[in-house]
Amino acid sequence: MSNFDQQLELPNSKRLSGLFYAQVACLAVAGSIATIILSGWIIPTVATWLPDGWWLMKQNTALSILISALAILLIRNNANILVIRLCGVAVIFIATLALYGYLSGQTNIFETILPQNHYAEFSGGVPVHSIIFFYLLGASFVVVKTENDQKHSNNPRDFLTLLLIGMVLVIFSGYLFSAASLYSHSTETLISYHTFISMCLLTFANFVRGVDHGIFSLFLGSGIGSYTARVALPWAIIGPFAVISAINYFLDPRGASQEIQIALSATLLSLMFFFIILWLSNKVSHLENDLRTLALTDEMTGLYNLRAFSILGKHAFSESLRNDTALILLYFDLDGLKKINDTLGHQIGSEMIMEFANLLKANFRRNETIARIGGDEFVVLSKNREIETAAKRLAEAISMANTRSNKSYRISYSEGKIIGKAKDFESLDDLLTQADSLMYENKKKKKLTSP
């Protein structure tokens, strides 16, 4: 079974349930980190048990993380929307005080409530990167909507979540490529590892908010677009970092210039995305072919269905008009199928339908259009006047099949045959209607002559 088939079999509710469990786990870990750090600031005894560098997560940062985790948990539980928005306002307020401290280099009235720290210049020293992050996160709580009001359009929550993801990627790239300015201002004012981990967890939890409604719901679906998005996303995010890291690792010790590294990075990234697009395009093409086959094929018999017959028949009809050639349409209707269904069961009736379909495929050519257009109705459309020979072979094959002693039914059918040029008919439907009428006339005659 293909990955796509497995994805289709997995209900959306199960995916959503798994994401919600992961969301709660992320909130629990982020909240625990913030609670421990905040306890270290408030209770000196706790601080002695914490590892070195714990104080790099400031009091206001830890408090913002706690409030944010609570807000996302409230959103998940459909709590009062006013309380959620107040949490967002609180996060923005704390970020504003931190911004004041960053710009002025001074503590404010709010920060003096918490104990000071001799390690840093001032206890509220938060890098501007964190401040921007919490502005975006707080704003996403302020614009929260009720479940009934959520719409794909005019929903800034998704845009803010995208900005949050961008912020996390910027900070990650700063750590990965030793670009300190992307995550710090000094050795005392920086985004610590535990702060960054909390940011990642909150960003993921906030992202899960949008998988049920909004643009992120694409990742939850079972369609081709959803499957493609789930496959491509990890490569699109991880690939560039992996390529550039590999180039830095192998070329830096060899003294390669920055220009060479940039050129190779651009080349490899282009190749990577080229192969991703090529693979996805090939995958989508196969999936579309499968879907097209499903849409044009009768599930029970494997023959063309009515939709396929209409498409192929109109093409043959147009070709007959253009070239002034003949068309032959054979219309078959199984006799007594209803009686077999009523007396022997629908399973036996289905077996007779499938056996008749197999006999049609075995006795007519592949370039002839064979279709099941109804429960017990079949058609064969051909441009070959020798089709009567195939019709005789079909009759002989059915006669031989009926002689088998282990069958509880006998195959019998009525046939209507129309031979003519497309110009003699108003449309393909007219040709089909005339063949259908002729078939019913033959069926009535058969009933009159039968004992």
Side-chain angles (χ1 to χ4, degrees):
M1 181 180 293
S2 67
N3 289 335
F4 180 67
D5 293 331
Q6 294 172 357
Q7 293 284 347
L8 288 179
E9 289 185 356
L10 184 64
N12 287 353
S13 58
K14 188 174 181 179
R15 292 196 195 100
L16 191 59
S17 177
L19 283 175
F20 280 157
Y21 282 126
Q23 182 190 47
V24 172
C26 289
L27 294 176
V29 173
S32 299
I33 293 173
T35 300
I36 293 171
I37 299 300
L38 195 58
S39 299
W41 281 101
I42 297 175
I43 306 172
T45 305
V46 175
T48 60
W49 292 91
L50 297 179
D52 295 337
W54 67 267
W55 52 270
L56 289 172
M57 179 187 285
K58 306 303 180 182
Q59 312 103 310
N60 38 21
T61 299
L63 188 58
S64 296
I65 291 172
L66 274 176
I67 296 174
S68 299
L70 175 63
I72 297 175
L73 196 59
L74 290 173
I75 294 171
R76 182 183 181 277
N77 294 325
N78 295 318
N80 189 298
I81 196 168
L82 179 60
V83 177
I84 297 170
R85 287 174 175 168
L86 286 176
C87 290
V89 171
V91 171
I92 293 174
F93 176 70
I94 296 172
T96 302
L97 293 178
L99 180 62
Y100 168 78
Y102 168 76
L103 295 175
S104 65
Q106 301 177 1
T107 58
N108 51 64
I109 296 175
F110 176 77
E111 291 166 350
T112 57
I113 299 174
L114 298 173
Q116 300 298 300
N117 179 302
H118 69 276
Y119 294 105
E121 295 177 359
F122 52 93
S123 63
V126 178
V128 70
H129 316 76
S130 296
I131 295 171
I132 295 174
F133 177 87
F134 287 113
Y135 267 128
L136 295 172
L137 190 57
S140 73
F141 303 146
V142 172
V143 300
V144 69
K145 295 182 179 181
T146 62
E147 188 174 352
N148 294 332
D149 293 336
Q150 291 194 31
K151 298 179 181 178
H152 286 217
S153 59
N154 194 28
N155 191 353
R157 176 203 63 196
D158 294 334
F159 177 70
L160 291 169
T161 302
L162 286 173
L163 293 179
L164 284 171
I165 295 172
M167 280 293 303
V168 168
L169 290 176
V170 167
I171 297 168
F172 174 73
S173 62
Y175 272 112
L176 186 63
F177 302 119
S178 301
S181 61
L182 295 181
Y183 62 88
S184 70
H185 304 299
S186 67
T187 56
E188 296 177 344
T189 307
L190 56 83
I191 298 176
S192 62
Y193 289 116
H194 42 290
T195 301
F196 178 63
I197 290 172
S198 299
M199 287 180 171
C200 292
L201 295 174
L202 289 176
T203 300
F204 174 78
N206 204 51
F207 165 81
V208 174
R209 286 174 54 197
V211 297
D212 200 17
H213 301 280
I215 60 174
F216 299 123
S217 60
L218 174 69
F219 295 100
L220 194 66
S222 299
I224 295 176
S226 298
Y227 171 76
T228 303
R230 287 193 293 270
V231 171
L233 182 63
W235 292 98
I237 293 179
I238 299 173
F241 291 103
V243 168
I244 296 176
S245 297
I247 290 175
N248 289 340
Y249 179 80
F250 289 109
L251 294 186
D252 270 352
R254 292 169 174 76
S257 65
Q258 186 177 9
E259 290 79 6
I260 292 177
Q261 294 185 36
I262 292 174
L264 287 177
S265 298
T267 302
L268 291 178
L269 285 173
S270 297
L271 283 174
M272 183 189 73
F273 284 112
F274 173 79
F275 282 116
I276 290 175
I277 292 172
L278 188 64
W279 182 84
L280 288 176
S281 300
N282 186 57
K283 190 71 175 179
V284 170
S285 178
H286 284 301
L287 294 175
E288 285 181 340
N289 287 336
D290 292 341
L291 291 176
R292 189 179 297 111
T293 300
L294 289 173
L296 300 177
T297 303
D298 176 61
E299 185 177 4
M300 179 186 293
T301 63
L303 299 176
Y304 288 126
N305 58 19
L306 179 60
R307 182 185 295 109
F309 174 76
S310 178
I311 295 171
L312 297 173
K314 287 178 181 178
H315 177 75
F317 195 84
S318 299
E319 187 177 353
S320 175
L321 281 176
R322 186 170 56 254
N323 300 328
D324 196 30
T325 53
L327 287 174
I328 302 95
L329 179 65
L330 301 181
Y331 198 118
F332 300 99
D333 185 273
L334 293 176
D335 299 327
L337 179 62
K338 184 178 184 303
K339 183 178 180 181
I340 291 175
N341 287 332
D342 292 341
T343 57
L344 301 178
H346 287 273
Q347 179 62 35
I348 301 300
S350 297
E351 289 180 9
M352 186 174 76
I353 289 173
M354 289 187 286
E355 184 176 5
F356 184 73
N358 291 332
L359 291 170
L360 286 175
K361 287 186 283 188
N363 289 281
F364 289 93
R365 298 180 179 181
R366 291 186 177 182
N367 60 351
E368 292 164 339
T369 303
I370 310 171
R372 181 189 180 202
I373 62 172
D376 56 357
E377 297 173 327
F378 300 81
V379 291
V380 178
L381 181 65
S382 177
K383 295 177 286 185
N384 184 6
R385 287 185 176 273
E386 297 179 0
I387 195 173
E388 292 184 8
T389 304
K392 291 178 181 178
R393 287 200 305 268
L394 174 66
E396 294 172 358
I398 288 177
S399 178
M400 292 179 61
N402 285 334
T403 59
R404 289 184 300 188
S405 59
N406 60 342
K407 287 173 42 174
S408 56
Y409 61 86
R410 290 176 57 84
I411 300 176
S412 175
Y413 64 89
S414 300
E415 175 189 347
K417 180 174 65 177
I418 296 290
I419 300 177
K421 296 181 179 180
K423 64 181 181 180
D424 300 327
F425 306 92
E426 295 181 2
S427 63
L428 176 67
D429 290 337
D430 182 37
L431 175 63
L432 196 64
T433 300
Q434 292 192 33
D436 184 24
S437 299
L438 185 58
M439 179 273 297
Y440 273 110
E441 288 180 11
N442 292 333
K443 184 181 285 286
K444 291 178 182 178
K445 292 178 182 177
K446 183 185 293 186
K447 289 181 178 179
L448 291 175
T449 58
S450 61

